[in-house]
Every structure is written in structure tokens, then in C-alpha cells.
Amino acid sequence: MSQKQMSLPAKLINGGIAGIVGVTCVFPIDLAKTRLQNQRSGQQVYRSMLDCLIKTVRSEGYFGMYRGAAVNLTLVTPEKAIKLAANDFFRHHLAKDGKGMNVFKEMLAGCGAGTCQVIITTPMEMLKIQLQDAGRLAAQQSAKAPIVTSAKLATTSAVPRRAYNVGPVPLNGKVSATQIAQELLRTQGVRGLYRGLGATVLRDVPFSIVYFPLFANINKLGKPSEDESAPFYHSFLAGCIAGSTAAVAVNPCDVIKTRLQSLNRGAHEESYSGIVDCARKVLRKEGPSAFLKGAGCRALVMAPLFGIVQVVYFVGVGERILSYSPYNVISS
């Protein structure tokens, strides 16, 4: 790893720009992933990712595929900035002993990065999921009870019984992330926005432990020499491979997190008391394959997202903005 002075502000800019560009490109697939993961056996509204996107466009219009994108684009900048800059920070300091980076140190740096990012990731995912899943709930209700009014739907959607899968976040009309956040803060305080924190940690820490070492070692194969950077296309492919691999590896944790963070649920959809209860009920009622729901979508989201991240790092946008010499710490 390079021992040049690392520019943390430049890395934060790189991560933020990469997050905005990446999320804009892949958000419709992420929406399909959330809706597929929240479907229960025997209550499927969507058969596949493509079916979900087609039905979403038909019923909600083109911009229906971007429900929840505003909150994601707002918070993904600090989220990706923290994640990527933290990994660079830990790698930079772990390599200071002169022995370089081994796989254990790379995993340790990834663990630190994943732990840091949940500060932003948890409330971001919490708000995004409510908006993304609203269309699925509406489609399910209209399919089973077409004569139910929207006011009644709003009443039956809330589940005021327990810590998870509970409002009170009424769905009368279109709600915004700001309205949901205000309601949660008013009724539950800050902890309302951090519902599912444990499940988020369970997903994001292992993801980073898998992703960062895998990317670094694949990227290393494309370097012409130890002192040169890999070509940008190799870094892009390395980011795609590492991102999709890590995404599929932690998909069971993502399914649990999505279920726990959903405030509203459809008719006959069970609620959960925590991570273990959710895992047990999903396994018993839907089988092991349920933990792979949305895995293909998630792989398709993470592959280009982290490929784009590595291109931004390769170009050194943040360093150029701050008039630093661009260099790629993450792939060193």
C-alpha cells in the first residue's frame, strides 16, 4: 500500500460521488429487490424482477420505480463516503508497520468500514424500504379486495402490536420520507429510525469483510507492476465481481433486515420479535430458499454500484477537486 499522505476529504468526495451515480443507475433494481424480499409464500404479487418492474411502471408510472430514491440519494453520499473512506483509513493505518496488507488486515479494515457505515445506513434503509414497499402492499390489497377504499387500506396497513413491523405510519395518500421520519421521531424517538440496527450490522459488516479483501486481491491481478495501478476497466470488473459475490453471500441477512424494517405489512403477513424470531419463522413457513429472495436483484445492484465506485476512485475525482495528485489507496 502506498505510504503517501492520505487525503480523507478527497476520499469522502469520491465515496459520495460514487454513491450518487451508482444509486441513480441501479435504484429500480433495488426497489424490485425490496418488494420481492417482502413477499410471503402464497401471496406473491410479482413473479420475478422483470415482472415487478413492468407491473410497477404500469401501476405507478416510470417514476414509481424511483420511490424512495430521494432519501437514498440524500443519505447515500455520507453513507458511501463513510464506508469507503473508513476502509481507506483503516488500510492506511494497518499498513504503517511496514509489513503491508495481508488478508487478515484487509478483513479487519473491511470490518471497521462496515461498522462505521451503519450510523447512516440504518435510518436510510429504514425510510427507503417504507417507500419502496408501499406499491407492493397497495397491489396486494387491491388484488384481494378491490372495493376497499384507500382510507380503509391505510387503517388496515398499520400493525400497532409490537416492536417490529409496526407504524404508526399511516399510508393515506402518498407519504414522504420526511413524514415517516417525523412520525417515528414523534412516537418512538431516535431509536425509531434505528429499528433493525442489529440486522443491518449483521449484513453490512460481513459484506465489507468479504468485499474489500476480494476486490483488493482481484484488482491486484491487473496491475502491470507493484508500483502501477490496474487499468480502470480491470478495477471496474473487480468491483463488479467482488460486489456481487459479497451481496449474494449476505443476502439471508438482507432478507431478515428488510422484513424487520418494514413498518407496514399486508393481510396475513406475520410480524417478528427480532432477528432470531424472523429467521425461524421464514425458515419454517417459507423454506431455506426464502433467504435467497432478491439475491439476483441484489447482485445486479451491487455489481455496477461498486464497479462505478472503483472507476471514481481510479479517476481520483475528489483529489482533482481538492487539487491533490490522484492515487488509489483502496486498490493499493
Side-chain angles (χ1 to χ4, degrees):
M1 176 179 282
S2 171
Q3 290 302 307
K4 295 179 183 179
Q5 181 64 36
M6 190 188 81
S7 169
L8 189 58
K11 294 302 178 183
L12 291 171
I13 293 173
N14 283 340
I17 293 174
I20 291 173
V21 175
V23 166
T24 302
C25 294
V26 303
F27 193 84
I29 304 174
D30 187 59
L31 178 137
K33 185 268 302 181
T34 296
R35 293 187 177 183
L36 289 172
Q37 286 183 340
N38 263 331
Q39 289 192 140
R40 274 61 162 180
S41 296
Q43 299 178 334
Q44 283 89 349
V45 177
Y46 313 107
R47 296 189 303 272
S48 64
M49 178 188 74
L50 185 60
D51 182 57
C52 178
L53 294 177
I54 291 173
K55 287 181 177 177
T56 298
V57 172
R58 285 177 179 172
S59 61
E60 303 171 52
Y62 174 79
F63 291 105
M65 294 191 298
Y66 283 87
R67 293 186 72 164
V71 65
N72 218 34
L73 288 171
T74 301
L75 295 179
V76 77
T77 302
E79 189 257 355
K80 281 290 178 288
I82 289 173
K83 181 189 188 80
L84 298 168
N87 180 70
D88 281 347
F89 176 81
F90 289 123
R91 286 175 64 92
H92 185 73
H93 287 279
L94 286 169
K96 279 187 173 181
D97 59 5
K99 296 179 181 179
M101 293 292 291
N102 54 32
V103 175
F104 175 75
K105 287 183 178 180
E106 289 171 344
M107 292 175 69
L108 195 60
C111 178
T115 303
C116 291
Q117 79 169 91
V118 297
I119 298 171
I120 302 296
T121 303
T122 305
M124 178 183 75
E125 292 275 306
M126 178 71 189
L127 298 175
K128 180 194 73 172
I129 285 172
Q130 314 318 314
L131 299 175
Q132 285 184 330
D133 202 40
R136 181 190 69 87
L137 293 171
Q140 185 189 86
Q141 292 289 344
S142 62
K144 291 191 174 184
I147 60 172
V148 176
T149 63
S150 58
K152 189 174 181 181
L153 172 62
T155 304
T156 57
S157 294
V159 188
R161 290 194 304 156
R162 45 171 333 286
Y164 290 100
N165 310 111
V166 184
V169 181
L171 294 177
N172 46 332
K174 289 187 177 180
V175 295
S176 66
T178 302
Q179 289 174 299
I180 296 173
Q182 288 176 340
E183 183 67 15
L184 284 171
L185 287 172
R186 185 182 67 81
T187 58
Q188 302 176 32
V190 175
R191 55 181 294 193
L193 290 175
Y194 280 86
R195 183 193 307 272
L197 175 62
T200 305
V201 172
L202 194 64
R203 181 198 67 173
D204 288 348
V205 172
F207 178 92
S208 295
I209 289 174
V210 172
Y211 170 77
F212 286 111
L214 186 58
F215 167 77
N217 285 280
I218 294 176
N219 192 53
K220 193 181 296 182
L221 298 175
K223 290 186 176 184
S225 67
E226 191 63 31
D227 298 327
E228 296 182 79
S229 296
F232 82 92
Y233 60 83
H234 187 90
S235 293
F236 177 81
L237 289 175
C240 289
I241 294 170
S244 57
T245 302
V248 173
V250 302
N251 197 75
C253 300
D254 191 53
V255 171
I256 293 172
K257 183 196 72 66
T258 299
R259 296 281 182 96
L260 291 178
Q261 287 188 319
S262 297
L263 291 173
N264 301 286
R265 59 186 177 92
H268 310 299
E269 290 183 355
E270 69 285 341
S271 55
Y272 311 105
S273 61
I275 296 173
V276 175
D277 180 59
C278 179
R280 185 185 296 116
K281 286 181 178 178
V282 170
L283 182 63
R284 185 177 70 250
K285 296 184 179 182
E286 302 174 54
S289 62
F291 291 109
L292 291 178
K293 284 184 176 180
C297 294
R298 186 160 164 76
L300 288 174
V301 168
M302 292 301 174
L305 178 59
F306 281 93
I308 291 168
V309 164
Q310 300 311 327
V311 170
V312 171
Y313 264 72
F314 179 88
V315 174
V317 176
E319 288 84 355
R320 292 180 186 277
I321 291 175
L322 297 177
S323 300
Y324 290 109
S325 298
Y327 61 96
N328 197 348
V329 173
I330 193 173
S331 61
S332 297

